[in-house]
């Protein structure tokens, strides 16, 4: 009996509903279910006093000078996550009158609430039925003894507060950071009837090696006597029209709950389930007895998901998990979809970008996600609704200890038959002095109870022997929390010959790297119009106003595209390092799509709607993230003419089958014209990482020309490429008409004012703090975001320039950062121009954090008196013998300054000029 539609409603903000017996009264407001309060325009308007579920790093954010100029207490725009139209945290009552038909008399009746959020307490006809608080599974109440034929009053109190049970305020199962801690009921809302004897649970254990299915069922006999039943079982492939042979089993069932077991043998060899062939079977189990019947269907798949020191395997074939997180990010509703089509959109985007795995960070999705993943061949890691590392302390005797056990039992009972459910963890990044011992016990219990999936303690840590696989960040990322400018990508010259072997050494279980990436991109303000549902991008409105106030509103799209290209470069470096690592288990990105909370973490190449932003296509992404990826180990990417490139070519291959008789090809090209090419010889490619294919050796000829080249390797339809740069080996000659200085003395100032040309070379530590010296400049994009990392460096999002500017003629570049800019960004300070006229436009901009939106320059030019000055935030003077890129950039700038094109029109005074220098 479908109970969707109109319900009576009342907010219980004073917590008087129980004492005043609202469950027996006639509530007068109306809402529509399935739905949330905010979808029904219920709750309170957002105000400065709104209490949030989720940690706030800076509770007085409105006093922050980055936000204060744009703050309006009448129109609050919260900067740290998407903002709901209304907010309510507390008890709310939902009530409906239902009529029970005569033919349900004598049956067992159950109330099913597919996804309440989150604690539900049910009364029927004034009598309390019970309370449930799962965040992961349907709340099912046995209401048989409470209902009468004819009219009945069902009253449900939904409470979304954190009370005695605290799963952790930032858990994505409840947090405003992601799904908004809504109040309501979504998905199926129904009354379901069953005869006196019925199945309460059916768990299916497929055994590929024996072509059989072990069935463990719980039968509930609510009659007063032992009953003989017969059970018919058949299993057939869902995508096939063929009928399977039925097998019958007979049992004598006593009163109450009984466990029965059956072994169903299939005649034909079974088809296994994996990402390439997601063969899903349906098991039909039909019970019959003299006075009634019951029938249940269960989807399952034949698959063996295993782990050992060599990595992960499925059905005996090595597998590499290429994963992303899903953090309950659904901006239109604020809650996850309960329909299969909603999840098909998510998993279609995942697979389009070469991924095969999704980790659900501190939450568990509804059944529809498992159904979609089963049918599409997506591997899922599920977590038990908790991130217990703030006020919640795991293993300390708090209610969370028992809750995680209970939640894990509920999750496995509800979803454990799905073949896509291959991994389970207790939650994310646990805290508490007793969490390690607690998790050891948790793992040992589950490994004994159910072998259908692999188990790990928690995502992030601890790395303990009991883990069947490890999810860790230690020594397996190119940027870690707190590394700032000391990370691999920011402290080591561009190369691609490292891997994570040190991070996996001496570990007996495979490693899946934890939350790699976290590379930010500038906001896409055109995205604001997409928020047509309950969550609004008020944070984007605030950031856009800030950008306009800093006279750069016209650059919003350019900032997005340029920073996006850098973001994609960073993800390519991260992913390829994992793919180069022998026996590695895989990676879990944070994230393929944006994470809108925790300060606004714009870390996705897709937006929160799983849609493209315009700077990288799925096809481009799949070049470096796929089941088969060619790889090149390069010890450097910047060369002088006459030097030799040596690239050790490898492949990470985890396709459907081994590759036989392939002939990998390579070429080096400039502007799509090949300058060298060849093959690596016919060979067979087995499964695995770091499969060596051969070597590319090429000497760069002397052409006295700076150039960008691309090395491309192809294996059948799989291609990947790496840019390199070649610069002439000649020395830099400074024209007599130009002075190159590192500071401004009176002689240089007079030279300028009298009409001279000056190249002012600054560098890291040379710019005054309030003029850009306090900006943390590095090569990479921002990690996570500055608001939530206490300002971890770098603070910037790469460069933006006109590649056709004559100052860059001898320094080939795109409009965005690429590896040839690593040296410049590693030896520079930003120059802040906010105190100067907006007409002063840099030759090369540095894209600032969207929180501060400072007008930053890396290279700029100005008129001073009668003279002209070119100011470089990059050090163009020191250690040039070991800095090929700086030498070439200096040469390009000097050639420009020596010519007629160097004629700045915007003036700076000597005082303004001196204010830049520390």
């Amino acid at each position: 009996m479908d109970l969707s539609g109109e319900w009576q409603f009342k907010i219980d903000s004073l917590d008087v509903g129980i004492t005043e017996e609202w469950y027996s009264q006639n509530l007068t407001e109306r809402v529509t279910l399935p739905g949330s309060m905010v979808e029904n325009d219920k709750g309170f308007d957002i105000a400065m006093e709104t209490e949030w579920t989720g940690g706030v790093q800076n509770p007085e954010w409105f006093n922050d000078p980055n936000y204060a100029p744009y703050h309006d207490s009448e129109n609050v725009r919260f900067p740290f996550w998407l903002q709901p139209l209304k907010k309510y945290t507390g008890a709310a009552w939902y009530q409906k009158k239902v009529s029970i038909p005569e033919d349900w008399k004598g049956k067992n009746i159950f109330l099913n609430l597919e996804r309440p959020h989150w604690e539900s307490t049910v009364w029927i006809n004034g009598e309390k039925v019970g309370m449930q608080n799962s965040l992961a599974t349907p709340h099912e109440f046995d209401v048989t003894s409470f209902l009468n034929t004819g009219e009945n009053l069902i009253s449900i109190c939904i409470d979304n507060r954190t009370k005695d049970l605290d799963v952790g305020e930032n858990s994505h199962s409840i947090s405003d950071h992601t799904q908004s801690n809504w109040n309501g009921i979504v998905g199926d809302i129904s009354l379901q009837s069953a005869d006196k004897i019925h199945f309460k649970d059916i768990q299916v254990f497929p055994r590929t090696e024996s072509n059989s299915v072990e069935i463990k069922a719980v039968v509930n006999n609510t009659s007063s006597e032992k009953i003989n039943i017969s059970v018919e079982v058949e299993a057939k492939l869902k995508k096939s029209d063929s009928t399977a042979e039925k097998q019958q089993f007979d049992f004598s069932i006593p009163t109450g709950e009984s466990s029965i077991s059956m072994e169903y043998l299939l005649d034909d060899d079974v088809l296994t389930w994996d990402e390439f062939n997601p063969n899903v079977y349906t098991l039909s189990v039909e019970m019959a007895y003299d006075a009634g019947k019951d029938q249940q269907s269960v989807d399952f798949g034949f698959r063996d998901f295993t782990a050992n020191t060599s990595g992960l395997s499925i059905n005996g074939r090595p597998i590499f998990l290429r994963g992303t997180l899903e953090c309950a990010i659904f901006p239109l509703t604020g809650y996850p979809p309960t329909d299969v089509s909603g999840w098909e959109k998510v998993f279609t985007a995942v697979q389009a970008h070469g991924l095969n795995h999704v980790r659900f960070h501190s939450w568990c999705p509804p059944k529809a996600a498992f159904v979609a993943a089963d049918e599409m061949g997506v591997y899922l890691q599920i977590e038990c609704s908790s991130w217990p590392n703030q006020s919640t302390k795991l293993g300390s005797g708090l209610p969370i200890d028992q809750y995680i056990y209970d939640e894990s039992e509920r999750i496995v009972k509800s979803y454990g038959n799905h073949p896509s459910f291959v991994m389970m963890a207790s939650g994310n990044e646990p805290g508490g002095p007793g969490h390690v011992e607690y998790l050891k016990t948790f793992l040992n219990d589950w490994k004994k109870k159910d072998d259908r999936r692999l188990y790990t303690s928690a995502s992030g840590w601890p790395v303990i022997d009991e883990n069947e696989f490890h999810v860790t960040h230690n020594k397996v990322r190119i940027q870690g929390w707190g590394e700032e400018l000391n990370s691999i990508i920011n402290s080591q010259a561009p190369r691609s010959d490292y891997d994570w072997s040190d991070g996996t050494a001496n570990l007996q279980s495979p490693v899946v790297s934890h939350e790699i990436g976290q590379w930010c991109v500038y906001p896409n303000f055109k995205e604001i119009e997409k928020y047509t549902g309950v969550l609004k991008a008020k944070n984007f409105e605030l950031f856009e106003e800030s950008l306009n106030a800093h006279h750069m509103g016209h650059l919003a799209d350019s900032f997005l595209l340029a920073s996006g290209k850098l973001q994609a470069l960073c993800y390519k470096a991260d992913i390829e390092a994992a793919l180069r690592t022998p026996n590695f288990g895989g990676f879990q990105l944070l994230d393929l799509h944006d994470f809108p909370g925790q300060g606004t973490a714009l870390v996705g190449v897709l937006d929160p709607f799983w849609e493209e932003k315009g700077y990288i296509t799925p096809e481009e992404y799949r070049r470096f993230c796929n089941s088969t990826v060619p790889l090149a180990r390069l010890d450097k990417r910047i060369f002088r003419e006459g030097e030799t490139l040596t690239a050790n070519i490898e492949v990470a291959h985890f396709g459907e089958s081994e590759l036989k008789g392939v002939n990998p090809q390579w070429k080096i090209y400039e502007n799509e014209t090949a300058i060298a090419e060849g093959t690596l010889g016919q060979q067979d490619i087995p499964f695995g990482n770091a499969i060596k294919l051969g070597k590319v050796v090429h000497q760069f000829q002397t052409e006295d020309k700076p150039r960008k080249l691309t090395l491309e390797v192809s294996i059948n339809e799989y291609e990947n490429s790496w840019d390199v740069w070649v610069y002439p080996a000649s020395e830099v000659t400074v024209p007599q008409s130009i002075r190159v200085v590192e500071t401004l003395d009176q002689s240089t100032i007079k030279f300028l004012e009298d009409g001279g040309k000056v190249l002012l070379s600054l560098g890291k530590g040379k710019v005054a703090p309030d003029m850009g010296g306090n900006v943390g400049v590095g090569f990479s994009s921002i990690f996570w975001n500055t608001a939530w990392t206490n300002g971890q460096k770098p603070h910037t999002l790469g460069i933006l320039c006109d590649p056709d500017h004559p100052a860059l003629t001898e320094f080939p570049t795109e409009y965005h950062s690429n590896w040839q800019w690593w040296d410049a960004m590693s030896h520079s300070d930003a120059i802040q121009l906010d105190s100067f006229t907006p007409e002063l436009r840099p030759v090369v901009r540095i894209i600032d954090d969207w929180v501060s939106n400072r007008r930053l320059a890396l290279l700029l030019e100005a008129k001073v008196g009668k003279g002209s000055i070119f100011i470089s935030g990059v050090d163009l003077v020191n250690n040039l013998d070991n800095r090929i890129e700086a030498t070439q950039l200096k040469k390009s700038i000097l050639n420009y300054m020596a010519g007629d094109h160097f004629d700045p029109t915007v003036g700076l005074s000597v005082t303004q000029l001196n204010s830049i220098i520390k």
Side-chain angles (χ1 to χ4, degrees), residues 496-566:
S496 65
D497 60 347
Y498 52 87
D499 61 37
W500 309 135
S501 296
D502 288 347
T504 61
N506 303 317
L507 294 177
Q508 299 305 304
S509 297
V511 168
V512 178
S513 49
H514 176 59
E515 297 182 357
I516 74 167
Q518 306 187 40
W519 303 116
C520 283
V521 66
Y522 199 80
N524 177 14
F525 296 130
K526 292 178 180 177
E527 188 183 303
I528 295 173
E529 63 187 24
K530 288 188 175 185
Y531 293 87
T532 58
V534 302
L535 297 177
K536 302 297 182 183
K538 297 286 188 179
N539 48 353
F540 275 31
E541 294 176 12
L542 190 154
F543 305 145
E544 185 176 29
E545 187 172 337
S546 167
L547 184 69
N548 289 330
H550 286 84
H551 309 287
M552 293 185 293
H554 63 290
L555 294 172
D557 290 347
S558 298
F559 284 175
L560 166 68
L561 296 176
S563 63
K565 291 294 187 182
L566 175 59

Side-chain angles (χ1 to χ4, degrees), residues 150-211:
E151 189 171 88
N152 297 263
L153 180 66
I154 299 177
S155 300
I156 305 173
C157 180
I158 301 293
D159 197 334
N160 60 336
R161 285 175 292 186
T162 298
K163 297 187 286 189
D164 293 338
L165 172 65
D166 183 1
V167 298
E169 65 178 1
N170 292 331
S171 301
H172 298 157
S173 55
I174 66 168
S175 178
D176 287 311
H177 286 285
T178 57
Q179 66 172 314
S180 76
N181 196 24
W182 51 284
N183 185 303
I185 309 169
V186 300
D188 176 69
I189 306 172
S190 63
L191 287 172
Q192 301 173 358
S193 69
D195 287 340
K196 286 187 176 294
I197 304 177
H198 54 270
F199 292 112
K200 189 172 183 180
D201 183 37
I202 298 174
Q203 296 296 317
V204 178
F205 295 80
R207 306 300 182 198
T208 307
E209 67 282 357
S210 60
N211 244 36

